[in-house]
């Protein structure tokens, strides 16, 4: 029997973040050891309030939640608030004054990140918001990154352009300097960027939302109202389908086969004000140059090796979403698949 992978989720507490957390909590292969929050969709403290409600609904009051950074690591573009996508409360205006029965821990997010990675071997980190907390951890202890088993970042775009800006994806554009610090840190293995290239390809359709509305599971009951709100403007670039960005990022840890193509390529982040501010630059030339005998090409400064998700298995993505929403047929098929792999 395989041992559950310890995971820290760093989040800005939005609608798709909540769906991603429900996935992690429901999968026996993942042990969520802590959740840290950062300002993005809402403030870091409001994000913590949202996460505490998810954990209460899931019956997981044992998982610590630490409030992280509201202040950016460096200059950042002025971005439009995402309340029209996620609601004023970050949960599609579904919170309705509800308050979780417990408070966040007193430890700050970056201190918790530092401590848990030092204390527990094999901790992975998935970032679902701006990378401010991870950057603070790296600046405090530069060797911290090498102790992380695997980093997955929902953010960036290799070839699909941006959403918050013409070239900038929201999580990166909220704090480009933090993203650049994380991009060039000394990770033990190349981190995985789950960007708009795949999150805009993995979408939900009318049938999935019909199933969601039946509220067959605790996750579906919690996510029904937030996801229906989110669908209106969250689908701007993908209509008629609806993405669930952060769910896909966590799914890459739960079911690695969902990524059909994720080559290691040089990655950099633009931290300079101007048209490309907040963008991720992927050097697609590198493998072509490597295949040319006798050709030496100098790698530009500022680039680091990352796994770049370029193709996704949409059917696997939808199956996992539908299993979370209570599709018994999909869930049974998953159990058989898991049994065959243990």
């Amino acid at each position: 029997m395989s041992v559950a992978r310890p995971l820290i989720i760093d989040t800005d507490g939005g609608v798709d973040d909540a769906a991603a957390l429900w996935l992690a909590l429901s999968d026996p292969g993942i042990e969520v050891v802590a959740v840290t929050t950062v300002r993005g969709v809402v403030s870091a403290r409001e994000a913590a309030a949202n996460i505490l409600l998810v954990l209460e609904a899931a019956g997981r009051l044992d998982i610590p939640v630490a409030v992280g950074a509201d202040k950016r690591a460096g200059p950042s573009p002025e971005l439009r608030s995402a309340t029209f996508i996620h609601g004023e409360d970050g949960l599609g205006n579904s919170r309705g004054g509800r308050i979780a029965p417990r408070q966040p821990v007193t430890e700050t997010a970056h201190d918790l990140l530092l401590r848990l990675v030092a204390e527990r071997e094999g901790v992975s980190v998935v970032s679902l918001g701006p990378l401010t907390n991870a950057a603070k951890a790296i600046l405090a202890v530069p060797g911290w990154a090498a102790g992380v088993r695997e980093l997955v970042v929902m953010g960036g775009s290799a070839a699909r352009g941006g959403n918050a800006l013409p070239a900038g994806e929201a999580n990166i554009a909220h704090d480009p300097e933090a993203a650049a610090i994380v991009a060039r840190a000394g990770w033990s293995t190349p981190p995985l960027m789950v960007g708009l290239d795949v999150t805009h390809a993995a979408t939900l359709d009318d049938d999935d939302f019909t199933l969601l509305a039946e509220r067959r599971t605790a996750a579906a009951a919690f996510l029904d109202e937030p996801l229906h709100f989110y669908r209106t403007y969250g689908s701007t670039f993908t209509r008629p389908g609806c993405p669930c960005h952060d769910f896909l990022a966590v799914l890459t840890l739960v079911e690695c086969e969902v990524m059909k193509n994720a080559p290691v390529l040089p990655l950099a982040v633009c931290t300079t004000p101007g048209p490309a501010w907040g963008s991720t630059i992927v050097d697609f030339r590198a493998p072509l140059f490597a295949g040319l005998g006798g050709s030496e090409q100098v790698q530009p400064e500022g680039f680091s090796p990352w796994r770049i998700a370029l193709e996704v298995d949409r059917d696997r993505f939808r199956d996992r979403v539908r299993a979370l929403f209570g599709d018994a047929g999909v869930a049974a098929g998953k159990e058989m698949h898991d049994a065959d792999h243990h």
Side-chain angles (χ1 to χ4, degrees):
M1 184 175 180
S2 60
V3 177
R5 173 187 294 209
L7 176 66
I8 301 171
I9 295 178
D10 188 55
T11 169
D12 59 351
V15 173
D16 54 333
D17 305 71
L21 178 54
W22 273 105
L23 170 65
L25 295 172
S26 68
D27 193 281
I30 295 291
E31 178 195 359
V32 180
V33 296
V35 182
T36 54
T37 65
V38 65
R39 178 166 69 93
V41 170
V42 289
S43 71
R45 188 155 292 278
E46 286 178 295
N50 289 348
I51 295 306
L52 287 165
L53 284 175
V54 175
L55 294 175
E56 179 196 13
R60 294 302 307 273
L61 299 180
D62 56 305
I63 298 173
V65 177
V67 179
D70 277 315
K71 185 179 179 182
R72 303 306 184 196
S76 57
E78 287 292 329
L79 301 180
R80 177 183 177 183
S81 168
T83 54
F84 72 107
I85 296 175
H86 292 269
E88 295 292 334
D89 62 3
L91 286 177
N93 296 332
S94 69
R95 206 161 70 194
R98 287 180 294 160
I99 299 175
R102 66 184 178 114
Q103 294 295 310
V105 298
T106 56
E107 195 173 16
T108 65
H110 82 276
D111 283 338
L112 183 145
L113 285 165
L114 290 170
R115 178 175 63 81
L116 286 181
V117 169
E119 289 178 357
R120 294 198 55 167
E121 186 176 351
V123 174
S124 296
V125 176
V126 60
S127 172
L128 306 178
L131 287 155
T132 317
N133 290 331
K136 287 187 74 171
I138 292 163
L139 290 174
V141 180
W144 173 78
V148 175
R149 173 181 170 180
E150 184 174 2
L151 173 70
V152 175
V153 171
M154 191 281 113
S157 173
R160 287 289 292 262
N163 54 4
L165 294 170
E169 182 276 329
N171 286 339
I172 305 300
H174 269 298
D175 197 347
E177 185 58 42
I181 291 168
V182 171
R184 59 177 178 258
W187 302 99
S188 57
T189 58
L192 174 65
M193 183 183 94
V194 180
L196 301 183
D197 309 271
V198 285
T199 65
H200 278 175
T203 57
L204 304 177
D205 61 21
D206 289 340
D207 290 342
D208 304 313
F209 279 89
T210 298
L211 174 64
L212 171 64
E214 294 178 11
R215 302 191 173 202
R216 296 182 184 182
T217 64
F222 187 98
L223 295 168
D224 179 26
E225 188 176 349
L227 276 172
H228 274 92
F229 182 99
Y230 171 87
R231 185 185 191 187
T232 302
Y233 293 106
S235 303
T236 299
F237 301 101
T238 59
R239 283 192 174 89
C242 178
C244 197
H245 307 273
D246 296 336
F247 187 99
L248 181 60
V250 170
L251 183 55
T252 65
L253 288 169
V254 171
E255 191 172 343
C256 61
E257 299 97 329
V258 75
M259 283 303 144
K260 296 166 67 175
N261 184 23
V264 175
L265 293 168
L267 171 75
V269 178
C270 179
T271 58
T272 306
W277 199 7
S279 64
T280 46
I281 301 99
V282 174
D283 191 351
F284 287 99
R285 307 173 306 160
L288 301 175
F289 288 152
L292 293 175
S295 172
E296 292 186 9
Q297 297 291 334
V298 177
Q299 177 67 61
E301 286 188 17
F303 284 81
S304 301
W306 277 60
R307 291 173 60 216
I308 308 298
L310 297 176
E311 289 183 77
V312 62
D313 187 331
R314 179 176 178 257
D315 290 336
R316 282 183 182 271
F317 165 78
R318 288 188 66 229
D319 282 350
R320 290 307 294 251
V321 174
R322 292 180 67 84
L324 187 68
F325 293 171
D327 186 321
V330 170
K334 176 189 173 300
E335 288 177 4
M336 291 179 63
H337 175 272
D338 290 346
D340 289 342
H341 284 73
H342 286 311

